Amino acid sequence: MELFTAIETRRAVKHYSSSEAVSEVDFERIMKAVLLSPTSYNIQHWRFVRVIDPQIRAQIQDAAWGQAQVTEAAELIVLCADPQAWLDNPQRYWANAGPEVQGLMLPMLESFYRGKEQLQRDEAMRSSGMAAQTMMLAAKGLGYDTCPMIGFDSERVAEIINLPSGHVISMIITLGRAAKPANQRAGQLPLSEVLLENRF
Ligand SMILES: Cc1cc2nc3c(=O)[nH]c(=O)nc-3n(C[C@H](O)[C@H](O)[C@H](O)COP(=O)(O)O)c2cc1C
């Protein structure tokens, strides 16, 4: 599918055909595309939990106020992130760049992130958001539909998936074949309201 067609036809789909799987080849292709999303300093804060077990799905659905797509969709991915990833053996983020670049980047990371918890969390969420959009567009490009979700009790879902201490959940994405199209678009703000020139 052409890129602009994918952007223009991606919608938050709430009802899925339970009988139609996402092939392993497609799932891996989508996830490998996700790994190409940009992140600050190439830190790649993201961690993805693919929920396959129907019992865990049911628990997550319960924590998501019963939203149908949680169990109807062929795939459910919990997008998580590690705000402390900048500290986690960071030279591997520039593995191909060689020791000279690594030697420059490590002190930059230290001064940029050390002691700045809010920034660390913002970065984790930014990275995760980048991954989310790549996932949804890659899925659409292969003919699948998705729904990003934050309508769930994050603390309960964290318990259900054994979220490691210090990690955050950014959102859940459901992925599969639509059984019903999305509702009509609710209405986009005009470009003239949201695009400014030079200053607010
Ligand atoms: C971070 C985020 C969280 C969302 N959470 C939910 C959700 O819990 N349940 C749901 O049905 N839709 C959810 N949505 C879908 C939005 O309602 C939808 O993206 C928005 O209305 C625009 O529609 P569109 O994506 O079809 O263009 C969420 C979207 C985003 C980006």
Side-chain angles (χ1 to χ4, degrees):
M1 187 185 288
E2 203 256 327
L3 175 62
F4 266 80
T5 308
I7 293 169
E8 286 159 4
T9 58
R10 181 220 54 80
R11 298 296 316 283
V13 164
K14 321 281 172 91
H15 292 283
Y16 294 83
S17 158
S18 302
S19 56
E20 289 184 85
V22 176
S23 73
E24 275 307 303
V25 171
D26 286 348
F27 186 80
E28 195 174 318
R29 195 163 172 213
I30 293 165
M31 292 310 299
K32 286 193 166 161
V34 166
L35 297 188
L36 302 178
S37 308
T39 57
S40 179
Y41 292 99
N42 201 35
I43 292 175
Q44 303 161 69
H45 305 79
W46 46 59
R47 301 292 180 266
F48 306 98
V49 180
R50 180 186 190 184
V51 181
I52 298 162
D53 183 331
Q55 286 186 339
I56 300 181
R57 283 277 199 110
Q59 288 171 16
I60 294 177
Q61 186 173 45
D62 193 47
W65 301 291
Q67 294 191 68
Q69 66 266 34
V70 174
T71 50
E72 280 182 6
E75 300 284 344
L76 181 134
I77 303 114
V78 186
L79 277 70
C80 309
D82 178 8
Q84 301 257 298
W86 65 278
L87 267 179
D88 183 7
N89 198 10
Q91 58 281 6
R92 68 203 161 106
Y93 306 140
W94 319 292
N96 301 336
E100 207 172 294
V101 173
Q102 291 175 12
L104 280 173
M105 296 299 262
L106 288 172
M108 279 170 76
L109 271 192
E110 273 292 319
S111 64
F112 200 72
Y113 292 113
R114 171 91 46 207
K116 299 175 191 158
E117 278 75 23
Q118 181 66 50
L119 176 65
Q120 293 169 17
R121 189 183 161 93
D122 289 348
E123 289 284 53
M125 290 299 189
R126 265 193 277 276
S127 296
S128 207
M130 292 283 177
Q133 186 70 344
T134 303
M135 189 183 292
M136 293 188 287
L137 292 180
K140 191 72 218 181
L142 294 177
Y144 297 103
D145 282 289
T146 55
C147 184
M149 294 178 56
I150 196 58
F152 55 89
D153 180 332
S154 238
E155 283 179 22
R156 274 184 67 197
V157 174
E159 269 175 42
I160 293 165
I161 64 165
N162 286 338
L163 186 76
S165 157
H167 284 45
V168 292
I169 296 177
S170 65
M171 73 187 86
I172 287 175
I173 291 184
T174 56
L175 162 65
R177 299 269 184 209
K180 278 194 210 164
N183 297 331
Q184 192 188 4
R185 282 193 192 278
Q188 314 309 122
L189 295 176
L191 188 57
S192 57
E193 182 179 340
V194 298
L195 175 67
L196 300 110
E197 284 187 4
N198 300 323
R199 292 193 170 98
F200 271 89

